[in-house]
């Protein structure tokens, strides 16, 4: 399947849910993509190609929908899988990064042994909105001595400045469908 065909198939499957989780947000629901097994497989294949081409040593997934894509990509390529989690969920020694939300701040954590110094890391999430979450994840990668080489998403919202925000945070940004 060509990239444009994959983007179109994703555009047809991803469901818009207005005012979720709060008024004014148009939520991009990827669960219909997961129910479409051939399409889910193509998504994993396309992300795996981008991750492999970036010369990746470690695949990092962002909780929670990022795991749905990072885990099969890591298994497909035979690469280690590192987890970024919400605060207080990881059992061992962690590093944390905070980032600004519209109101207030949020925080993500990673285990200290998730990335070894010098490793090239591809970080995967389901959706790029403001880029705050991914920027913080890339900071964690650098904090552990790794190099963030790719930020990969299924969906990119181009009416928000996520891609610009990631400009200095990571070598490359890839998404499969842009709204
Ligand atoms: P951001 O940090 O603003 O780029 O937000 C990205 C994170 O929030 C991702 O983990 C997404 O799953 C989630 N997210 C933000 N906006 C939306 C949206 N409109 N629809 C679905 N998920 C979203």
């Amino acid at each position: 399947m060509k990239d444009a065909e994959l983007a179109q198939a994703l555009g047809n499957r991803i469901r818009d849910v207005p005012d979720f989780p709060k008024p004014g947000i148009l939520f991009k629901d990827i669960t219909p993509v997961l129910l479409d097994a051939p399409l889910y497989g193509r998504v994993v294949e396309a992300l795996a190609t981008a991750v492999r081409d970036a010369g990746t040593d470690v695949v990092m997934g962002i909780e929670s929908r990022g795991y749905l894509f990072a885990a099969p990509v890591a298994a497909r390529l035979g690469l280690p899988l590192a987890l970024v989690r919400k605060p207080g969920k990881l059992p061992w020694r962690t590093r944390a990064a905070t980032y600004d939300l519209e109101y207030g701040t949020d925080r993500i954590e990673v285990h200290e042994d998730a990335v070894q110094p010098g490793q090239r890391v591809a970080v995967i999430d389901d959706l790029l909105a403001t880029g705050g979450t991914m920027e913080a994840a890339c900071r964690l990668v650098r904090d552990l001595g790794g190099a963030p080489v790719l930020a990969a998403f299924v969906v990119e919202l181009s009416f928000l400045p996520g891609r610009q925000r990631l400009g200095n945070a990571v070598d490359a940004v890839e998404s499969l469908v842009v709204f």
Side-chain angles (χ1 to χ4, degrees):
M1 189 182 255
K2 295 208 192 72
D3 289 358
E5 284 171 288
L6 178 56
Q8 194 177 15
L10 284 168
N12 290 337
R13 268 282 183 270
I14 291 165
R15 179 162 51 201
D16 285 348
V17 183
D19 300 319
F20 183 88
K22 51 185 181 183
I25 304 284
L26 183 63
F27 193 85
K28 294 289 183 186
D29 177 18
I30 52 94
T31 61
V33 176
L34 307 176
L35 290 170
D36 183 335
L39 181 58
Y40 186 24
R42 283 183 213 117
V43 167
V44 170
E45 205 53 44
L47 291 171
T49 300
V51 167
R52 191 196 55 220
D53 290 352
T56 301
D57 299 311
V58 177
V59 180
M60 179 175 273
I62 298 181
E63 184 175 358
S64 57
R65 286 184 298 276
Y67 295 171
L68 300 169
F69 303 100
V73 164
R76 169 83 179 74
L77 296 175
L79 291 174
L81 174 66
L83 302 181
V84 168
R85 295 211 66 179
K86 308 272 165 61
K89 302 281 188 184
L90 287 168
W92 192 61
R93 295 205 302 264
T94 56
R95 295 285 177 89
T98 55
Y99 56 100
D100 290 335
L101 299 174
E102 200 176 348
Y103 301 103
T105 61
D106 216 337
R107 183 182 163 96
I108 52 173
E109 295 179 350
V110 71
H111 270 156
E112 283 182 3
D113 65 352
V115 174
Q116 302 304 311
Q119 284 185 318
R120 296 168 61 85
V121 182
V123 191
I124 299 183
D125 203 357
D126 68 323
L127 183 139
L128 172 60
T130 67
T133 316
M134 182 58 80
E135 187 275 323
C138 292
R139 244 188 293 138
L140 283 176
V141 170
R142 277 196 304 275
D143 196 27
L144 294 173
V149 293
L150 175 67
F153 304 90
V154 180
V155 183
E156 175 177 350
L157 302 182
S158 62
F159 52 86
L160 293 170
R163 190 172 273 268
Q164 292 88 302
R165 186 166 181 175
L166 294 178
N168 294 321
V170 60
D171 294 350
V173 178
E174 301 259 9
S175 61
L176 302 182
V177 62
V178 181
F179 293 103

